[in-house]
């Protein structure tokens, strides 16, 4: 049986467009409510495990606690968890999209941006302080230590959010290339002159830069990472932190300008960042000795 691409460029009435927008907004809400549901499950499982284990000795590490490849920082279990979450978000994007190509394209971008506040809440805000493992908001809520949570923060950006945003951009580009325009050869030639598309392209280039500006390691570096990250570990941490945060801020600015539907997710991310920063400051000043 041959595979046939089910999605097409369909023409919608104004009423259909309103219904599509309502479904897209609902999909974004489901994506964020599922975060709360997942946090409750993690919290319940951790509480149950702690209660049942008592003072029993810790079990030996399993195959899921090992790196996916030798030398990689994150474990197979962490990749599996992020991969499953990506699969759920893709399924949510496909849900009720029918054969509407643009519905699917917009849905992938919608659910991708909806995950930005969670990504911020996982971030180690005190990374360049004397205590870089100070708990984030999500660490406190779930009871997972920040050193265990930070790898998920890294993977979530690489395995979940970035692929969704890149897929959104790729699908839109294909649509523009294959669509004609009365005054230009293709719709792409027209749309690249518009601010919203220019901001979208800039946002995708920023995502690529976030990949290149890798997290510093305590071990020797090579290639572009060595050239960018020189000096002591503390200096590399500081360079990475300010570079990384600057790129994220720039990404949020261009995403906010790109499309109106992204604005509430960017505002939520800003609120999450402020909350995370205040939480880390309180812990550093009043809690930790």
């Amino acid at each position: 049986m041959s595979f046939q691409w089910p999605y097409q460029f369909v023409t919608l009435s104004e009423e259909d467009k309103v219904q599509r927008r309502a479904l897209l907004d609902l999909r974004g809400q489901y994506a964020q409510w599922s975060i709360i549901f997942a946090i409750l499950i993690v919290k319940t499982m951790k509480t149950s495990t702690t209660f049942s284990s008592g003072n029993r000795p810790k079990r030996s590490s399993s195959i899921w606690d090992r790196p996916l490849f030798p030398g990689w920082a994150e474990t197979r279990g962490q990749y599996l968890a992020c991969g499953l979450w990506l699969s759920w978000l893709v399924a949510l994007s496909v849900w009720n999209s029918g054969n509407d190509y643009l519905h699917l394209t917009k849905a992938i971008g919608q659910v991708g941006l909806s995950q930005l506040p969670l990504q911020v809440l996982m971030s180690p805000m005190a990374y360049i302080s004397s205590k870089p493992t100070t708990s984030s908001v999500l660490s406190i809520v779930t009871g997972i230590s920040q050193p265990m949570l930070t790898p998920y923060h890294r993977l979530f950006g690489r395995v979940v959010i970035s692929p969704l945003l890149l897929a959104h951009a790729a699908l839109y580009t294909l649509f523009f290339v294959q669509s004609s325009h009365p005054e230009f050869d293709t719709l792409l030639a027209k749309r690249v002159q518009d601010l919203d598309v220019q901001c979208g392209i800039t946002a995708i280039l920023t995502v690529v830069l976030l990949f290149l500006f890798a997290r510093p390691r305590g071990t020797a570096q090579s290639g572009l990472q060595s050239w960018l990250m020189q000096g002591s570990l503390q200096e590399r941490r500081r360079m990475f932190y300010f570079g990384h945060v600057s790129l994220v801020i720039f990404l949020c600015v261009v995403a906010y300008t790109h499309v109106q539907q992204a604005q509430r997710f960017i505002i939520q991310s800003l609120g999450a960042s402020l909350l995370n920063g205040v939480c880390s400051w309180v812990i550093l000043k009043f809690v930790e000795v």
Side-chain angles (χ1 to χ4, degrees):
M1 181 181 294
S2 61
F3 173 79
Q4 185 176 4
W5 179 250
Y7 293 97
Q8 303 173 8
F9 302 159
V10 299
T11 302
L12 301 180
S13 65
E14 290 302 317
E15 182 180 352
D16 291 335
K17 290 180 181 178
V18 171
Q19 183 179 5
R20 180 172 68 184
R21 173 42 53 195
L23 282 172
L24 288 169
D25 292 340
L26 183 63
R27 187 179 280 103
Q29 294 173 22
Y30 284 169
Q32 291 196 319
W33 278 108
S34 63
I35 294 172
I36 299 176
F37 184 67
I39 290 174
L40 291 175
I41 291 178
V42 170
K43 181 66 175 177
T44 301
M45 291 177 60
K46 184 168 179 59
T47 302
S48 301
T49 302
T50 302
F51 178 78
S52 61
S53 61
N55 294 323
R56 288 182 298 177
K58 184 179 179 180
R59 291 177 300 175
S60 58
S61 61
S62 69
I63 188 175
W64 298 108
D65 297 321
R66 302 172 188 170
L68 187 62
F69 294 104
W72 287 31
E74 295 83 15
T75 66
R76 298 174 182 179
Q78 291 163 349
Y79 271 97
L80 176 63
C82 290
L84 290 174
W85 192 254
L86 174 63
S87 299
W88 156 243
L89 293 178
V90 170
L92 190 58
S93 301
V94 173
W95 167 73
N96 217 9
S97 61
N99 67 335
D100 187 348
Y101 180 95
L102 282 183
H103 191 156
L104 175 68
T105 303
K106 293 173 182 287
I108 290 174
Q110 184 95 358
V111 298
L113 288 173
S114 73
Q115 304 300 291
L116 286 178
L118 173 62
Q119 174 73 341
V120 172
L121 290 175
M122 286 192 291
S123 63
M125 293 295 290
Y127 184 71
I128 59 173
S129 72
S130 59
K131 298 178 180 178
T133 59
T134 298
S135 298
S136 62
V137 170
L138 200 64
S139 173
I140 295 172
V141 171
T142 60
I144 300 174
S145 67
Q146 190 60 41
M148 293 183 62
L149 190 61
T150 298
Y152 287 101
H153 170 71
R154 295 196 300 267
L155 278 183
F156 204 75
R158 299 202 304 260
V159 176
V160 179
I161 295 179
S162 294
L164 290 172
L165 297 183
L166 290 171
H168 169 76
L171 289 173
Y172 246 124
T173 301
L174 288 174
F175 168 72
F176 289 151
V177 168
Q178 298 180 64
S179 300
S180 60
H181 190 276
E183 300 178 12
F184 299 85
D185 292 336
T186 64
L187 184 58
L188 178 64
K190 163 62 175 65
R191 292 293 277 125
V192 293
Q193 302 181 35
D194 298 332
L195 178 62
D196 61 327
V197 171
Q198 292 171 354
C199 287
I201 294 172
T202 305
I204 293 303
L205 292 176
T206 307
V207 170
V208 174
L209 285 176
L210 284 167
F211 269 99
L212 296 177
F213 202 66
R215 173 181 178 271
R217 308 286 183 186
T219 56
Q221 321 253 331
S222 60
L224 177 62
Q225 193 179 32
S226 270
W227 181 73
L228 290 173
M229 300 287 190
Q230 299 181 11
S232 66
L233 178 59
Q234 187 62 26
E235 290 172 339
R236 280 183 282 148
R237 275 182 176 168
R238 189 176 295 110
M239 184 184 300
F240 162 76
Y241 181 83
F242 288 113
H244 182 77
V245 171
S246 297
L247 286 173
V248 171
I249 292 173
F250 183 69
L251 172 62
C252 289
V253 170
V254 293
Y256 186 93
T257 310
H258 171 57
V259 63
Q260 181 180 2
Q261 288 72 33
Q263 294 177 0
R264 65 188 178 99
F265 299 130
I266 302 303
I267 293 173
Q268 289 172 1
S269 300
L270 175 61
S273 181
L274 292 174
L275 179 62
N276 218 10
V278 170
C279 178
S280 296
W281 178 81
V282 170
I283 293 174
L284 285 171
K285 189 171 182 63
F286 300 106
V287 178
E288 293 191 352
V289 180

